[in-house]
Amino acid sequence: MEIQYERIGMTDLDAMADIYATYLNAGDTIRDYVEAGMKNKDFVGYKALDHGKIVGVLSGRSGIDFTYPHPELAERLRQKFPEEKIYTPDALVVLDEYRGHPLAFELGRLLIQEVHQKGYEYLLTELWIYPNGHIPAEHVVSTWGTEVYREDIDGFYRELEKYHMECPVCGTHCSCGARILVMKTDGQIHIREGEKENEL
């Protein structure tokens, strides 16, 4: 295994759309959503490659962004955090066979450093809560800064079908929740003593 890291560019659009559809949300609007994010003026995205194959990605867009609109939540966050200083990492995926490799942490390190250099102080993350309570990537995101806001919302994706999307766990009728976190970043990741950079 020889992992290399590169920026995500528009030539990766099809691959990114496939990753979203397979691991995050499927639907006929996903490719447009991914393309819009990649055209965002402050888009930052990195991919991990193993002999040319994409095995992990992390990307984001400026401002407050959710899988689909949650206006009341967005307004609450605007009241607490200036939107021009908040950035939303919206896709962290590592292929199953690469779980246990520290590439998720390295992708985070690359993205967060660049985002901070662009002047963003806060990172907004929408962490998926499976019906069984599992929260993928929570321990990776916890290294991105100091938690300054947390809200767990049951049924966060209940209207996915309305937006022509489908949950890879539940299908069209999603019962997953979400943990909304805002982290204040200094541009570095912080691994706590005793933790390892070896799992997603």
Short mmCIF file of all heavy atoms in Angstrom, two decimals, residues 82-138:
data_model
loop_
_atom_site.label_atom_id
_atom_site.label_comp_id
_atom_site.label_asym_id
_atom_site.label_seq_id
_atom_site.Cartn_x
_atom_site.Cartn_y
_atom_site.Cartn_z
N PRO A 82 -20.46 34.01 12.78
CA PRO A 82 -20.52 34.75 11.51
C PRO A 82 -20.35 33.79 10.34
O PRO A 82 -19.37 33.04 10.28
CB PRO A 82 -19.34 35.72 11.61
CG PRO A 82 -18.98 35.77 13.07
CD PRO A 82 -19.34 34.43 13.63
N GLU A 83 -21.29 33.80 9.42
CA GLU A 83 -21.26 32.81 8.34
C GLU A 83 -20.00 32.92 7.49
O GLU A 83 -19.50 31.93 6.97
CB GLU A 83 -22.51 32.93 7.46
CG GLU A 83 -22.63 31.78 6.47
CD GLU A 83 -23.97 31.74 5.76
OE1 GLU A 83 -24.77 32.69 5.91
OE2 GLU A 83 -24.22 30.76 5.06
N GLU A 84 -19.47 34.15 7.37
CA GLU A 84 -18.27 34.30 6.54
C GLU A 84 -17.04 33.66 7.18
O GLU A 84 -16.00 33.52 6.54
CB GLU A 84 -18.00 35.78 6.25
CG GLU A 84 -17.60 36.62 7.44
CD GLU A 84 -18.80 37.17 8.22
OE1 GLU A 84 -19.94 36.75 7.92
OE2 GLU A 84 -18.58 38.02 9.10
N LYS A 85 -17.16 33.25 8.44
CA LYS A 85 -16.02 32.62 9.11
C LYS A 85 -16.25 31.13 9.37
O LYS A 85 -15.48 30.50 10.09
CB LYS A 85 -15.73 33.33 10.43
CG LYS A 85 -15.26 34.77 10.24
CD LYS A 85 -14.86 35.40 11.56
CE LYS A 85 -14.35 36.83 11.35
NZ LYS A 85 -13.92 37.46 12.62
N ILE A 86 -17.32 30.57 8.78
CA ILE A 86 -17.63 29.16 9.01
C ILE A 86 -17.49 28.37 7.71
O ILE A 86 -17.83 28.86 6.63
CB ILE A 86 -19.04 29.01 9.62
CG1 ILE A 86 -19.19 27.66 10.32
CG2 ILE A 86 -20.13 29.23 8.60
CD1 ILE A 86 -20.38 27.59 11.26
N TYR A 87 -16.95 27.19 7.84
CA TYR A 87 -16.69 26.33 6.67
C TYR A 87 -17.29 24.96 6.95
O TYR A 87 -17.22 24.46 8.09
CB TYR A 87 -15.18 26.21 6.43
CG TYR A 87 -14.82 25.68 5.07
CD1 TYR A 87 -14.65 26.55 4.00
CD2 TYR A 87 -14.66 24.31 4.85
CE1 TYR A 87 -14.32 26.08 2.74
CE2 TYR A 87 -14.33 23.84 3.59
CZ TYR A 87 -14.17 24.72 2.53
OH TYR A 87 -13.85 24.25 1.29
N THR A 88 -17.87 24.35 5.93
CA THR A 88 -18.53 23.07 6.10
C THR A 88 -17.80 21.96 5.35
O THR A 88 -17.95 21.83 4.13
CB THR A 88 -19.99 23.14 5.60
OG1 THR A 88 -20.69 24.17 6.30
CG2 THR A 88 -20.70 21.81 5.83
N PRO A 89 -16.98 21.14 6.04
CA PRO A 89 -16.49 19.91 5.42
C PRO A 89 -17.69 18.97 5.26
O PRO A 89 -18.36 18.63 6.24
CB PRO A 89 -15.49 19.36 6.44
CG PRO A 89 -15.14 20.54 7.31
CD PRO A 89 -16.41 21.36 7.37
N ASP A 90 -18.02 18.60 4.01
CA ASP A 90 -19.28 17.90 3.78
C ASP A 90 -19.14 16.47 3.28
O ASP A 90 -20.15 15.80 3.05
CB ASP A 90 -20.16 18.71 2.82
CG ASP A 90 -19.59 18.77 1.40
OD1 ASP A 90 -18.43 18.36 1.20
OD2 ASP A 90 -20.30 19.25 0.50
N ALA A 91 -17.93 15.99 3.12
CA ALA A 91 -17.79 14.60 2.65
C ALA A 91 -16.46 14.03 3.13
O ALA A 91 -15.40 14.47 2.69
CB ALA A 91 -17.85 14.55 1.12
N LEU A 92 -16.54 13.08 4.04
CA LEU A 92 -15.36 12.33 4.46
C LEU A 92 -15.66 10.85 4.24
O LEU A 92 -16.55 10.31 4.89
CB LEU A 92 -15.03 12.59 5.93
CG LEU A 92 -13.93 11.71 6.56
CD1 LEU A 92 -12.61 11.87 5.79
CD2 LEU A 92 -13.75 12.05 8.03
N VAL A 93 -14.96 10.26 3.30
CA VAL A 93 -15.20 8.86 2.95
C VAL A 93 -13.87 8.14 2.82
O VAL A 93 -12.93 8.65 2.20
CB VAL A 93 -15.97 8.74 1.61
CG1 VAL A 93 -16.07 7.28 1.17
CG2 VAL A 93 -17.36 9.35 1.72
N VAL A 94 -13.80 6.95 3.42
CA VAL A 94 -12.65 6.05 3.24
C VAL A 94 -13.22 4.70 2.83
O VAL A 94 -14.15 4.20 3.48
CB VAL A 94 -11.82 5.92 4.53
CG1 VAL A 94 -10.74 4.88 4.37
CG2 VAL A 94 -11.20 7.26 4.91
N LEU A 95 -12.70 4.13 1.77
CA LEU A 95 -13.19 2.83 1.32
C LEU A 95 -12.99 1.77 2.41
O LEU A 95 -12.02 1.82 3.17
CB LEU A 95 -12.47 2.38 0.05
CG LEU A 95 -12.59 3.29 -1.19
CD1 LEU A 95 -12.10 2.55 -2.42
CD2 LEU A 95 -14.03 3.77 -1.40
N ASP A 96 -13.92 0.85 2.48
CA ASP A 96 -13.93 -0.13 3.57
C ASP A 96 -12.60 -0.84 3.75
O ASP A 96 -12.13 -1.04 4.88
CB ASP A 96 -15.02 -1.19 3.33
CG ASP A 96 -16.42 -0.61 3.48
OD1 ASP A 96 -16.55 0.47 4.08
OD2 ASP A 96 -17.38 -1.24 3.00
N GLU A 97 -11.97 -1.23 2.65
CA GLU A 97 -10.73 -2.00 2.75
C GLU A 97 -9.54 -1.18 3.25
O GLU A 97 -8.47 -1.73 3.51
CB GLU A 97 -10.39 -2.67 1.42
CG GLU A 97 -10.23 -1.72 0.25
CD GLU A 97 -11.51 -1.51 -0.55
OE1 GLU A 97 -12.61 -1.45 0.06
OE2 GLU A 97 -11.40 -1.39 -1.79
N TYR A 98 -9.75 0.15 3.39
CA TYR A 98 -8.67 1.01 3.89
C TYR A 98 -8.95 1.53 5.30
O TYR A 98 -8.22 2.38 5.80
CB TYR A 98 -8.44 2.18 2.91
CG TYR A 98 -7.81 1.70 1.63
CD1 TYR A 98 -8.61 1.16 0.62
CD2 TYR A 98 -6.43 1.71 1.43
CE1 TYR A 98 -8.05 0.68 -0.56
CE2 TYR A 98 -5.86 1.23 0.26
CZ TYR A 98 -6.67 0.72 -0.73
OH TYR A 98 -6.11 0.23 -1.88
N ARG A 99 -10.01 1.01 5.92
CA ARG A 99 -10.24 1.35 7.32
C ARG A 99 -9.08 0.81 8.14
O ARG A 99 -8.60 -0.29 7.91
CB ARG A 99 -11.56 0.73 7.82
CG ARG A 99 -12.78 1.17 7.01
CD ARG A 99 -13.10 2.64 7.24
NE ARG A 99 -14.14 3.10 6.32
CZ ARG A 99 -15.45 3.06 6.58
NH1 ARG A 99 -15.86 2.54 7.72
NH2 ARG A 99 -16.30 3.54 5.71
N GLY A 100 -8.63 1.58 9.11
CA GLY A 100 -7.47 1.17 9.90
C GLY A 100 -6.20 1.85 9.43
O GLY A 100 -5.17 1.79 10.10
N HIS A 101 -6.25 2.51 8.29
CA HIS A 101 -5.11 3.30 7.80
C HIS A 101 -5.34 4.75 8.20
O HIS A 101 -6.48 5.23 8.18
CB HIS A 101 -5.00 3.17 6.28
CG HIS A 101 -3.75 3.77 5.72
ND1 HIS A 101 -3.59 5.14 5.56
CD2 HIS A 101 -2.61 3.20 5.28
CE1 HIS A 101 -2.40 5.37 5.04
NE2 HIS A 101 -1.78 4.22 4.86
N PRO A 102 -4.31 5.49 8.58
CA PRO A 102 -4.50 6.86 9.08
C PRO A 102 -4.81 7.90 8.01
O PRO A 102 -4.69 9.10 8.27
CB PRO A 102 -3.15 7.17 9.76
CG PRO A 102 -2.17 6.33 9.03
CD PRO A 102 -2.91 5.05 8.71
N LEU A 103 -5.26 7.49 6.84
CA LEU A 103 -5.45 8.46 5.77
C LEU A 103 -6.56 9.46 6.07
O LEU A 103 -6.52 10.61 5.60
CB LEU A 103 -5.67 7.76 4.43
CG LEU A 103 -6.91 6.88 4.23
CD1 LEU A 103 -8.09 7.67 3.73
CD2 LEU A 103 -6.57 5.77 3.22
N ALA A 104 -7.57 9.08 6.87
CA ALA A 104 -8.63 10.04 7.21
C ALA A 104 -8.07 11.23 7.98
O ALA A 104 -8.47 12.37 7.77
CB ALA A 104 -9.73 9.36 8.01
N PHE A 105 -7.12 10.95 8.87
CA PHE A 105 -6.50 12.02 9.65
C PHE A 105 -5.63 12.91 8.76
O PHE A 105 -5.59 14.12 8.92
CB PHE A 105 -5.67 11.44 10.79
CG PHE A 105 -6.51 10.80 11.86
CD1 PHE A 105 -6.80 9.45 11.81
CD2 PHE A 105 -7.04 11.55 12.90
CE1 PHE A 105 -7.57 8.85 12.79
CE2 PHE A 105 -7.82 10.97 13.88
CZ PHE A 105 -8.09 9.61 13.83
N GLU A 106 -4.93 12.30 7.81
CA GLU A 106 -4.08 13.09 6.92
C GLU A 106 -4.93 13.95 5.99
O GLU A 106 -4.59 15.12 5.74
CB GLU A 106 -3.17 12.18 6.10
CG GLU A 106 -2.19 12.91 5.19
CD GLU A 106 -1.27 13.87 5.94
OE1 GLU A 106 -1.00 13.65 7.14
OE2 GLU A 106 -0.80 14.85 5.32
N LEU A 107 -6.04 13.43 5.50
CA LEU A 107 -6.95 14.24 4.69
C LEU A 107 -7.45 15.43 5.51
O LEU A 107 -7.53 16.55 5.02
CB LEU A 107 -8.12 13.39 4.20
CG LEU A 107 -7.80 12.35 3.12
CD1 LEU A 107 -8.98 11.40 2.94
CD2 LEU A 107 -7.45 13.03 1.79
N GLY A 108 -7.79 15.17 6.77
CA GLY A 108 -8.23 16.25 7.65
C GLY A 108 -7.15 17.29 7.85
O GLY A 108 -7.42 18.50 7.81
N ARG A 109 -5.94 16.84 8.05
CA ARG A 109 -4.82 17.76 8.26
C ARG A 109 -4.65 18.70 7.06
O ARG A 109 -4.49 19.91 7.22
CB ARG A 109 -3.53 16.95 8.47
CG ARG A 109 -2.37 17.74 9.03
CD ARG A 109 -1.08 16.93 9.03
NE ARG A 109 -1.22 15.55 9.41
CZ ARG A 109 -1.17 15.08 10.66
NH1 ARG A 109 -0.98 15.93 11.65
NH2 ARG A 109 -1.29 13.79 10.90
N LEU A 110 -4.72 18.13 5.87
CA LEU A 110 -4.54 18.92 4.65
C LEU A 110 -5.67 19.94 4.46
O LEU A 110 -5.43 21.12 4.19
CB LEU A 110 -4.47 17.99 3.44
CG LEU A 110 -3.23 17.10 3.35
CD1 LEU A 110 -3.42 16.01 2.31
CD2 LEU A 110 -1.99 17.94 3.02
N LEU A 111 -6.91 19.47 4.62
CA LEU A 111 -8.05 20.36 4.41
C LEU A 111 -8.09 21.48 5.45
O LEU A 111 -8.26 22.65 5.11
CB LEU A 111 -9.35 19.56 4.43
CG LEU A 111 -10.63 20.39 4.20
CD1 LEU A 111 -11.58 19.70 3.24
CD2 LEU A 111 -11.35 20.67 5.53
N ILE A 112 -7.91 21.13 6.70
CA ILE A 112 -8.06 22.11 7.77
C ILE A 112 -6.99 23.19 7.69
O ILE A 112 -7.24 24.37 7.90
CB ILE A 112 -8.05 21.40 9.14
CG1 ILE A 112 -9.34 20.60 9.29
CG2 ILE A 112 -7.89 22.39 10.28
CD1 ILE A 112 -9.28 19.57 10.38
N GLN A 113 -5.79 22.79 7.35
CA GLN A 113 -4.70 23.77 7.21
C GLN A 113 -5.04 24.78 6.12
O GLN A 113 -4.89 25.99 6.31
CB GLN A 113 -3.39 23.06 6.89
CG GLN A 113 -2.21 24.00 6.78
CD GLN A 113 -0.91 23.25 6.53
OE1 GLN A 113 -0.89 22.20 5.90
NE2 GLN A 113 0.17 23.77 7.04
N GLU A 114 -5.54 24.30 4.98
CA GLU A 114 -5.85 25.21 3.88
C GLU A 114 -7.05 26.10 4.20
O GLU A 114 -7.05 27.30 3.91
CB GLU A 114 -6.11 24.43 2.59
CG GLU A 114 -6.35 25.32 1.40
CD GLU A 114 -6.36 24.59 0.08
OE1 GLU A 114 -5.88 23.43 0.02
OE2 GLU A 114 -6.85 25.18 -0.90
N VAL A 115 -8.07 25.50 4.81
CA VAL A 115 -9.26 26.27 5.17
C VAL A 115 -8.90 27.39 6.15
O VAL A 115 -9.36 28.53 6.02
CB VAL A 115 -10.32 25.33 5.78
CG1 VAL A 115 -11.41 26.11 6.51
CG2 VAL A 115 -10.93 24.45 4.69
N HIS A 116 -8.07 27.08 7.13
CA HIS A 116 -7.65 28.09 8.10
C HIS A 116 -6.85 29.20 7.42
O HIS A 116 -7.03 30.38 7.74
CB HIS A 116 -6.81 27.42 9.19
CG HIS A 116 -6.51 28.31 10.35
ND1 HIS A 116 -5.27 28.91 10.53
CD2 HIS A 116 -7.27 28.72 11.40
CE1 HIS A 116 -5.30 29.62 11.63
NE2 HIS A 116 -6.49 29.53 12.18
N GLN A 117 -6.02 28.83 6.47
CA GLN A 117 -5.24 29.83 5.73
C GLN A 117 -6.15 30.76 4.93
O GLN A 117 -5.80 31.91 4.67
CB GLN A 117 -4.24 29.14 4.81
CG GLN A 117 -3.08 28.50 5.56
CD GLN A 117 -2.19 27.65 4.67
OE1 GLN A 117 -2.51 27.37 3.51
NE2 GLN A 117 -1.06 27.22 5.21
N LYS A 118 -7.32 30.26 4.54
CA LYS A 118 -8.28 31.08 3.80
C LYS A 118 -9.05 32.03 4.73
O LYS A 118 -9.84 32.84 4.25
CB LYS A 118 -9.26 30.18 3.04
CG LYS A 118 -8.67 29.47 1.83
CD LYS A 118 -9.71 28.57 1.19
CE LYS A 118 -9.16 27.90 -0.07
NZ LYS A 118 -9.00 28.88 -1.18
N GLY A 119 -8.84 31.90 6.03
CA GLY A 119 -9.45 32.82 6.96
C GLY A 119 -10.65 32.31 7.73
O GLY A 119 -11.28 33.06 8.48
N TYR A 120 -10.96 31.03 7.58
CA TYR A 120 -12.10 30.46 8.31
C TYR A 120 -11.68 30.05 9.72
O TYR A 120 -10.63 29.46 9.91
CB TYR A 120 -12.67 29.27 7.55
CG TYR A 120 -13.32 29.66 6.25
CD1 TYR A 120 -12.61 29.58 5.05
CD2 TYR A 120 -14.62 30.15 6.22
CE1 TYR A 120 -13.19 29.97 3.85
CE2 TYR A 120 -15.21 30.54 5.03
CZ TYR A 120 -14.50 30.44 3.84
OH TYR A 120 -15.07 30.84 2.65
N GLU A 121 -12.56 30.37 10.68
CA GLU A 121 -12.26 30.07 12.08
C GLU A 121 -13.05 28.88 12.62
O GLU A 121 -12.67 28.28 13.63
CB GLU A 121 -12.57 31.30 12.95
CG GLU A 121 -11.70 32.50 12.64
CD GLU A 121 -12.06 33.69 13.52
OE1 GLU A 121 -12.82 33.51 14.50
OE2 GLU A 121 -11.59 34.79 13.22
N TYR A 122 -14.17 28.56 11.96
CA TYR A 122 -15.05 27.52 12.48
C TYR A 122 -15.34 26.47 11.41
O TYR A 122 -15.46 26.79 10.22
CB TYR A 122 -16.39 28.12 12.94
CG TYR A 122 -16.24 29.16 14.02
CD1 TYR A 122 -16.30 30.52 13.70
CD2 TYR A 122 -16.04 28.80 15.34
CE1 TYR A 122 -16.16 31.48 14.68
CE2 TYR A 122 -15.89 29.76 16.34
CZ TYR A 122 -15.96 31.09 15.99
OH TYR A 122 -15.82 32.05 16.96
N LEU A 123 -15.45 25.22 11.85
CA LEU A 123 -15.78 24.10 10.98
C LEU A 123 -17.12 23.53 11.41
O LEU A 123 -17.30 23.15 12.58
CB LEU A 123 -14.71 23.02 11.07
CG LEU A 123 -13.28 23.46 10.73
CD1 LEU A 123 -12.30 22.37 11.15
CD2 LEU A 123 -13.15 23.74 9.24
N LEU A 124 -18.07 23.49 10.49
CA LEU A 124 -19.39 22.93 10.75
C LEU A 124 -19.46 21.52 10.17
O LEU A 124 -19.19 21.33 8.99
CB LEU A 124 -20.46 23.81 10.11
CG LEU A 124 -21.88 23.25 10.03
CD1 LEU A 124 -22.46 23.02 11.42
CD2 LEU A 124 -22.77 24.18 9.21
N THR A 125 -19.80 20.55 11.01
CA THR A 125 -19.91 19.19 10.51
C THR A 125 -21.28 18.62 10.86
O THR A 125 -21.82 18.86 11.94
CB THR A 125 -18.81 18.26 11.07
OG1 THR A 125 -18.91 18.23 12.50
CG2 THR A 125 -17.44 18.74 10.67
N GLU A 126 -21.81 17.86 9.93
CA GLU A 126 -23.09 17.16 10.07
C GLU A 126 -22.75 15.68 10.13
O GLU A 126 -22.51 15.04 9.12
CB GLU A 126 -23.95 17.50 8.86
CG GLU A 126 -25.23 16.72 8.71
CD GLU A 126 -25.84 16.90 7.32
OE1 GLU A 126 -25.91 18.05 6.82
OE2 GLU A 126 -26.23 15.89 6.73
N LEU A 127 -22.68 15.16 11.35
CA LEU A 127 -22.27 13.77 11.54
C LEU A 127 -23.49 12.86 11.55
O LEU A 127 -24.44 13.07 12.31
CB LEU A 127 -21.51 13.62 12.86
CG LEU A 127 -20.12 14.24 12.91
CD1 LEU A 127 -19.57 14.19 14.32
CD2 LEU A 127 -19.18 13.54 11.95
N TRP A 128 -23.44 11.86 10.72
CA TRP A 128 -24.50 10.89 10.55
C TRP A 128 -24.63 10.03 11.81
O TRP A 128 -23.64 9.48 12.29
CB TRP A 128 -24.06 10.02 9.40
CG TRP A 128 -25.05 9.23 8.66
CD1 TRP A 128 -26.37 9.07 8.90
CD2 TRP A 128 -24.74 8.45 7.50
NE1 TRP A 128 -26.91 8.24 7.98
CE2 TRP A 128 -25.94 7.84 7.11
CE3 TRP A 128 -23.57 8.21 6.78
CZ2 TRP A 128 -26.00 6.99 6.00
CZ3 TRP A 128 -23.63 7.37 5.69
CH2 TRP A 128 -24.84 6.78 5.30
N ILE A 129 -25.85 9.92 12.36
CA ILE A 129 -26.11 9.00 13.47
C ILE A 129 -26.97 7.85 12.93
O ILE A 129 -28.13 8.05 12.58
CB ILE A 129 -26.84 9.68 14.63
CG1 ILE A 129 -26.06 10.91 15.14
CG2 ILE A 129 -27.06 8.69 15.78
CD1 ILE A 129 -26.77 11.68 16.25
N TYR A 130 -26.37 6.67 12.83
CA TYR A 130 -27.10 5.50 12.34
C TYR A 130 -28.26 5.17 13.28
O TYR A 130 -28.24 5.54 14.46
CB TYR A 130 -26.18 4.29 12.27
CG TYR A 130 -25.16 4.28 11.16
CD1 TYR A 130 -24.21 3.27 11.09
CD2 TYR A 130 -25.13 5.27 10.18
CE1 TYR A 130 -23.26 3.22 10.08
CE2 TYR A 130 -24.19 5.23 9.17
CZ TYR A 130 -23.26 4.21 9.12
OH TYR A 130 -22.33 4.18 8.12
N PRO A 131 -29.25 4.43 12.80
CA PRO A 131 -30.36 4.01 13.68
C PRO A 131 -29.88 3.25 14.92
O PRO A 131 -30.54 3.29 15.96
CB PRO A 131 -31.21 3.12 12.77
CG PRO A 131 -30.97 3.67 11.39
CD PRO A 131 -29.52 4.07 11.39
N ASN A 132 -28.72 2.58 14.83
CA ASN A 132 -28.19 1.86 16.00
C ASN A 132 -27.35 2.75 16.92
O ASN A 132 -26.78 2.27 17.90
CB ASN A 132 -27.37 0.64 15.56
CG ASN A 132 -26.10 1.01 14.82
OD1 ASN A 132 -25.75 2.18 14.68
ND2 ASN A 132 -25.38 0.00 14.31
N GLY A 133 -27.27 4.05 16.59
CA GLY A 133 -26.54 4.99 17.43
C GLY A 133 -25.09 5.23 17.04
O GLY A 133 -24.44 6.13 17.58
N HIS A 134 -24.56 4.43 16.11
CA HIS A 134 -23.17 4.60 15.69
C HIS A 134 -22.99 5.91 14.93
O HIS A 134 -23.85 6.29 14.12
CB HIS A 134 -22.75 3.42 14.81
CG HIS A 134 -21.36 3.53 14.28
ND1 HIS A 134 -20.25 3.64 15.10
CD2 HIS A 134 -20.88 3.54 13.00
CE1 HIS A 134 -19.15 3.70 14.35
NE2 HIS A 134 -19.52 3.66 13.09
N ILE A 135 -21.88 6.60 15.19
CA ILE A 135 -21.58 7.87 14.51
C ILE A 135 -20.25 7.73 13.78
O ILE A 135 -19.18 7.88 14.36
CB ILE A 135 -21.51 9.04 15.51
CG1 ILE A 135 -22.79 9.12 16.35
CG2 ILE A 135 -21.28 10.36 14.77
CD1 ILE A 135 -22.78 10.21 17.40
N PRO A 136 -20.28 7.40 12.48
CA PRO A 136 -19.04 7.23 11.73
C PRO A 136 -18.21 8.52 11.73
O PRO A 136 -18.76 9.62 11.66
CB PRO A 136 -19.52 6.90 10.31
CG PRO A 136 -20.93 6.49 10.45
CD PRO A 136 -21.47 7.22 11.64
N ALA A 137 -16.93 8.37 11.85
CA ALA A 137 -15.97 9.48 11.71
C ALA A 137 -15.97 10.45 12.87
O ALA A 137 -15.25 11.44 12.86
CB ALA A 137 -16.17 10.24 10.40
N GLU A 138 -16.77 10.20 13.92
CA GLU A 138 -16.83 11.15 15.02
C GLU A 138 -15.46 11.39 15.64
O GLU A 138 -15.08 12.54 15.93
CB GLU A 138 -17.79 10.64 16.10
CG GLU A 138 -17.93 11.59 17.28
CD GLU A 138 -18.87 11.06 18.35
OE1 GLU A 138 -19.00 9.82 18.46
OE2 GLU A 138 -19.45 11.88 19.07
#
